[in-house]
Amino acid sequence: MARTAVVAGTASAVVGASANRQAGQQQAAAEQQATQQAAFDSQAQLADMQAQVDALAAPPTAPAPPPAPGAAAAPMGDDLLSQLSKLADLQAAGVLTAEEFTAAKAKLLA
């Protein structure tokens, strides 16, 4: 009988130690997961705060000014004809060579 009690006591101690070890491992895993989640949350909050600071620190962007009338647009209608006639007059006067006249005319017609 004493032998049975020793065997039973040893088995109980082994089972108890195993259960305690397993509970400790589960607790450690839960603590590690909680720590990682807290670190992730902190990084997310830090990123949000940095984005807010950047938005406040950035100067407001001004809209691009509209293009000057006629500066970027190709001349149309009567204006085009008048500019072509001016080019022809300059060529006739000898101010523009034939190549310069052709290049300027192509630029106006483009």
Side-chain angles (χ1 to χ4, degrees):
M1 179 100 115
R3 188 172 190 196
T4 304
V6 170
V7 171
T10 302
S12 178
V14 169
V15 169
S18 177
N20 287 340
R21 184 173 51 243
Q22 197 172 35
Q25 289 174 347
Q26 288 175 348
Q27 183 179 359
E31 288 174 359
Q32 184 180 11
Q33 185 178 7
T35 302
Q36 289 175 348
Q37 185 64 38
F40 178 77
D41 291 343
S42 294
Q43 288 177 348
Q45 287 176 346
L46 182 61
D48 288 342
M49 290 181 354
Q50 185 64 44
Q52 290 174 1
V53 168
D54 291 344
L56 291 173
T61 57
M76 301 301 270
D78 294 335
D79 193 28
L80 177 61
L81 290 176
S82 68
Q83 287 190 0
L84 285 173
S85 67
K86 285 179 187 177
L87 286 175
D89 291 342
L90 289 172
Q91 183 187 15
V95 176
L96 292 178
T97 65
E99 294 84 18
E100 291 172 331
F101 172 78
T102 306
K105 182 175 79 170
K107 186 176 178 181
L108 284 174
L109 296 175

